[in-house]
Amino acid sequence: MTRWLHQSPPEIQPDRVIVKDMGCDLHEHFEVRTDEGWKRIQVLPDLNWDTATPEEEEAYWSLPLCIGRDYDLFAILAGVRNRLNVRPIVACRGIPEDASVEVREAWTQAKHAPEVHSPSWLSLEELSSFEWDQPLVHLDSAVAQDARWARREIVTYRDAVSDTNFVAQGLAKLQTLVDDPRKLRMVFWFDS
């Protein structure tokens, strides 16, 4: 079975293929601070996508730490796919100089691809202390003209990401992994 992870399936016409609606994916890596430096940790179970059943895939996508393609969360984390037109938690700040060997290797392999962009990182402390219940802070008032965001139920940052479990459950799960939230971070980049 063919899986279209990065884009919609192409529309086939007799003499050409038309690809529609390119997506954007987040590549996240979680690290913990040890006495020897930062070390990458596995927070999601391995899943063999070639043999997984639809039920296993659905269960994976519903895990609290599975971010998926939540463009509104991307906007809040890094200003990427910012259809909300909101101020992100922090501006993209690149890959940390002290990133773990595993994360540096992954970034070295990814960074030369033209579709890879917006590397950054956020500590668990930054993610946890962010005021998710504050009203959305729009960068431009023109966003009010967008019918999706004119709905009254989308008024806070938490409302904007309520379709995923990352904020509601995932952050609490991450907090169980360390005693100090400054010792866990998410290093990430995107591809479009």
Side-chain angles (χ1 to χ4, degrees):
M1 167 195 255
T2 302
R3 300 194 192 284
W4 300 98
L5 297 176
H6 299 290
Q7 62 193 29
S8 301
E11 176 183 317
I12 307 292
Q13 293 187 357
D15 294 325
R16 60 189 177 148
V17 174
I18 301 169
V19 177
K20 295 182 175 182
D21 188 27
M22 293 295 289
C24 182
D25 294 303
L26 172 71
H27 299 267
E28 71 269 30
H29 302 267
F30 292 89
E31 297 180 313
V32 293
R33 179 88 174 143
T34 68
D35 291 339
E36 293 79 37
W38 289 94
K39 179 176 174 38
R40 185 178 181 278
I41 59 169
Q42 184 79 25
V43 298
L44 289 169
D46 287 328
L47 181 66
N48 184 335
W49 292 96
D50 293 327
T51 60
T53 66
E55 294 79 17
E56 290 171 325
E57 290 182 16
E58 184 64 31
Y60 184 89
W61 288 115
S62 65
L63 291 170
L65 290 171
C66 184
I67 294 174
R69 263 194 192 160
D70 186 342
Y71 290 166
D72 300 331
L73 183 58
F74 295 1
I76 295 167
L77 294 176
V80 170
R81 290 287 170 117
N82 197 351
R83 62 187 175 194
L84 288 173
N85 199 25
V86 293
R87 184 177 59 227
I89 296 173
V90 297
C92 289
R93 49 190 172 189
I95 301 299
E97 289 183 19
D98 61 350
S100 65
V101 171
E102 300 92 343
V103 169
R104 281 192 311 241
E105 288 174 357
W107 173 242
T108 298
Q109 291 178 3
K111 70 181 179 181
H112 298 294
E115 66 274 10
V116 171
H117 59 92
S118 307
S120 196
W121 61 275
L122 287 161
S123 70
L124 177 57
E125 180 180 46
E126 291 169 312
L127 289 165
S128 300
S129 66
F130 182 71
E131 293 293 329
W132 292 97
D133 293 313
Q134 71 178 305
L136 292 173
V137 178
H138 296 288
L139 297 173
D140 182 347
S141 61
V143 76
Q145 298 171 9
D146 184 339
R148 175 174 153 87
W149 304 114
R151 296 189 331 220
R152 292 192 185 277
E153 68 267 19
I154 307 284
V155 293
T156 68
Y157 284 84
R158 186 178 306 276
D159 295 334
V161 298
S162 64
D163 291 343
T164 62
N165 293 321
F166 182 72
V167 173
Q169 299 170 13
L171 293 180
K173 183 165 177 65
L174 289 173
Q175 289 172 355
T176 67
L177 302 176
V178 291
D179 358 345
D180 181 348
R182 295 173 296 182
K183 292 186 176 183
L184 190 147
R185 67 184 176 195
M186 179 173 72
V187 180
F188 56 90
W189 54 87
F190 300 85
D191 74 58
S192 299

